Amino acid sequence: MPQKSWTDKRERQYEHIKENEKERGRSEGTAERIAAATVNRTRTAKGETKEQKSPTERRSAQRAASTASRRAGKS
C-alpha cells in the first residue's frame, strides 16, 4: 500500500505502524488503513506533500499527529 510519493523513511514508518496495529488485534485491512492515514497525516504536518497546505491546515495536521503520537506512547 505504500505510495510512490512516500520516502523510504515513510514506507518504514507505514510498515512499523501496520505491524503494531496487527499485534494489537486489528485486521490486515484496518491496520493498513490506520498506517496509511497516520503516515499521510505526518507528511502533511511536516510539509512533505505536493500540495501546499494553508497554515491552518498544517497546524491541524500537526495537532492530530501529536495527539496520535501521545496515544501511541511516544510523546
Side-chain angles (χ1 to χ4, degrees), residues 1-11 36 39-40 43-44 47-51:
M1 178 129 183
Q3 309 294 317
K4 291 180 182 179
S5 60
W6 289 359
T7 62
D8 289 342
K9 177 181 177 178
R10 294 298 173 215
E11 289 184 29
V39 170
N40 287 330
R43 287 183 66 236
T44 300
E48 298 173 5
T49 56
K50 272 187 177 179
E51 285 183 21

Side-chain angles (χ1 to χ4, degrees), residues 17-50:
I17 294 168
K18 185 173 87 168
E19 289 306 313
N20 283 340
E21 291 298 326
K22 286 170 53 178
E23 287 174 9
R24 289 177 168 210
R26 307 273 191 189
S27 69
E28 178 82 17
T30 300
E32 287 178 355
R33 184 179 49 78
I34 291 169
T38 303
V39 170
N40 287 330
R41 186 172 44 240
T42 303
R43 287 183 66 236
T44 300
K46 300 286 185 179
E48 298 173 5
T49 56
K50 272 187 177 179

Side-chain angles (χ1 to χ4, degrees), residues 41-42 44-46 55-71:
R41 186 172 44 240
T42 303
T44 300
K46 300 286 185 179
T56 304
E57 289 174 313
R58 285 194 64 200
R59 266 194 305 277
S60 175
Q62 287 169 338
R63 270 191 237 110
S66 175
T67 301
S69 292
R70 270 185 268 144
R71 270 188 270 149

